[in-house]
Amino acid sequence: MKRENEYLFSYGTLQQEEVQKANFGRILVGKPDILQNYIVGEVRITDERVLMESGKEIHPILRYTGQNTDEVIGTVYEISHKELLQADDYEVKDYKRTRVILKSGQQCWIYSAANTNA
């Protein structure tokens, strides 16, 4: 049985209203939170659709460090399961979806680097 609602932590282009409208057909309402044990790196995007929607060639990407002192500030959005699948479609192969617990204790999904060596 699928859950009604999912929680997604965003630290990058999914916070942009134009990206939200293009992928979910609405502007999301979120709350600030912090992800520990990660830092933000960069990845070059070549997917034409993602480039058009975000307007950016370089996107942020989470990289796991395992260090509690490493923190990323972002926004947690409550979305439907269908919208989570739409977010999966937006993210390119450089990203993987992982379930984590944020500093607030909120369990949610993040998109982080698929290649830990990159």
Side-chain angles (χ1 to χ4, degrees), residues 2 80-90 97 111:
K2 291 180 187 162
S80 69
H81 184 75
K82 179 183 175 189
E83 288 172 325
L84 182 63
L85 297 178
Q86 291 167 310
D88 285 348
D89 190 50
Y90 171 75
R97 180 162 45 100
Y111 291 101

Side-chain angles (χ1 to χ4, degrees), residues 5 14 18 22 49 51-53 57 73 75 84 106 118:
N5 295 314
L14 280 174
E18 59 273 18
R49 176 188 146 215
L51 286 168
M52 186 178 71
E53 290 175 6
E57 183 180 352
I73 296 170
T75 305
L84 182 63
Q106 172 71 57

